[in-house]
Amino acid sequence: MIFSVPEAGISGNLYTLARPNLGICHSSIEIHKGFSLHPWQIEHNDAQMHLSCPERFDNFTLDNGLSFQAINARECAFQYQSLDGNCSLDVAFKAVCDPFDPHDANENPLISSAKVAGYDGWNTGHMESKGRVTGTLSLHGREYQIDCIDGMDKSWGPRKDWGSKGATWVHVNLGDDLGAFLVLGLDFENKEVVYGPFNFGFLAINGERRPIVKASMRAQRFDMLVMRAEVEFEDDRGNCYAAIGTTVAAAPWYNFNPSSAAFQTLMRWESGSRVGYSHIADFTGLSFLSRGMADRHDIGARVLNHD
């Protein structure tokens, strides 16, 4: 689940990857403030592997201090108390529209493109939600009130995590009554990130969820972090939307999953008189990232020419 305190430049995420057949899970809690180019600049980064896997997933507490309770299909709650005492969190999530299953033809007219290349876990079973997150955050002795609209997702079934993939998850928030969620492919051209094709998404408007049938995104970035983004999308009724996002906070999240990195940016979105805040998360497998960005000839030349 993603959350933010835009006025303080705070962006955070709670993540758990369970392996019930092995009896273990991985959990990562990441919170950054402003711009962080390196992991050591992140405000709070608690990633723990091989925690005991809970017996049930609707109500559990992990040994890293993260608790979760599912209230119903649209509401849940998270609590977290870090082992070092530097961070605590108590938030509730309430969906602003029904959850979205991209693999259900009744919900997604683009069912033929719902599979995201290389993402076995999401392609086996997946659900996306957009909702209001409210509660409190204590971070290094300071208290913050959380009241934002952003995303939460879950996947299930067998998955292979070996890092040969890339995709972007985009939440566009333009106020309490209008928002969108988009998934697009991600690739590299001459070390530049390009987005596409569009896989699936939905529009949340006045509490109703509508499928999105077309979407595109362009972005400018510093290093791997988005600084400015332009999105366009169209719903199944032919209504077209466009928004421009500028970055409020950003950081590389290298341990949300051992095989991958997430380059997460909190955006200030504008469309006409509408303004809102929500996230872009560029996911790249580490082997995929090195293939797209590393210049092996230069590396070899530097090594050979070293005195």
Side-chain angles (χ1 to χ4, degrees), residues 3-5 89-91 133-137 144-148:
F3 65 91
S4 65
V5 186
L89 183 75
D90 188 350
V91 294
V133 184
T134 56
T136 58
L137 166 69
Y144 301 92
Q145 294 298 312
I146 298 172
D147 187 356
C148 64

Side-chain angles (χ1 to χ4, degrees), residues 31-50:
I31 303 171
H32 57 271
K33 187 174 183 181
F35 294 87
S36 301
L37 294 178
H38 306 286
W40 49 265
Q41 296 173 321
I42 292 172
E43 294 288 313
H44 184 74
N45 198 348
D46 178 6
Q48 299 189 35
M49 297 182 65
H50 299 163

Side-chain angles (χ1 to χ4, degrees), residues 43-283:
E43 294 288 313
H44 184 74
N45 198 348
D46 178 6
Q48 299 189 35
M49 297 182 65
H50 299 163
L51 299 167
S52 296
C53 190
E55 295 183 0
R56 53 188 293 177
F57 297 102
D58 60 342
N59 191 329
F60 63 82
T61 298
L62 302 179
D63 290 339
N64 65 343
L66 177 67
S67 297
F68 171 79
Q69 303 87 39
I71 300 168
N72 54 49
R74 296 180 60 153
E75 297 179 74
C76 61
F78 295 85
Q79 294 83 37
Y80 170 68
Q81 178 66 59
S82 67
L83 302 182
D84 60 11
N86 288 326
C87 180
S88 63
L89 183 75
D90 188 350
V91 294
F93 177 93
K94 186 173 183 179
V96 297
C97 65
D98 288 338
F100 175 70
D101 183 352
H103 305 299
D104 186 338
N106 294 319
E107 300 184 18
N108 181 16
L110 302 182
I111 190 71
S112 62
S113 64
K115 292 188 179 296
V116 183
Y119 280 85
D120 293 343
W122 284 281
N123 294 333
T124 303
H126 191 68
M127 188 165 286
E128 295 284 349
S129 296
K130 180 185 289 290
R132 182 174 292 279
V133 184
T134 56
T136 58
L137 166 69
S138 176
L139 184 63
H140 300 297
R142 293 193 62 181
E143 300 288 330
Y144 301 92
Q145 294 298 312
I146 298 172
D147 187 356
C148 64
I149 295 177
D150 224 300
M152 181 174 68
D153 67 355
K154 63 179 179 180
S155 60
W156 59 91
R159 63 189 296 174
K160 295 179 181 178
D161 289 312
W162 71 284
S164 182
K165 61 229 177 184
T168 187
W169 261 241
V170 183
H171 278 276
V172 179
N173 183 36
L174 295 170
D176 291 353
D177 59 344
L178 180 62
F181 168 73
L182 315 169
V183 172
L184 300 98
L186 181 155
D187 211 337
F188 295 94
E189 292 182 3
N190 298 320
K191 298 186 182 181
E192 295 292 332
V193 174
V194 292
Y195 297 103
F198 171 61
N199 291 103
F200 55 81
F202 67 86
L203 183 75
I205 180 166
N206 295 317
E208 182 184 12
R209 191 198 66 220
R210 306 295 310 182
I212 290 175
V213 297
K214 295 180 182 178
S216 63
M217 183 170 77
R218 300 175 298 278
Q220 300 168 359
R221 67 190 64 242
F222 183 78
D223 199 15
M224 281 294 296
L225 300 173
V226 172
M227 295 289 106
R228 185 179 188 274
E230 300 177 25
V231 295
E232 298 177 353
F233 46 94
E234 179 182 334
D235 70 12
D236 63 329
R237 293 172 173 170
N239 298 311
C240 297
Y241 303 85
I244 295 175
T246 52
T247 301
V248 175
W253 188 13
Y254 286 115
N255 53 18
F256 93 95
N257 183 309
S259 71
S260 303
F263 298 93
Q264 188 163 284
T265 51
L266 172 62
M267 311 298 293
R268 182 184 188 272
W269 294 103
E270 297 181 54
S271 181
S273 61
R274 288 181 170 273
V275 175
Y277 297 85
S278 52
H279 282 78
I280 294 174
D282 287 345
F283 295 99

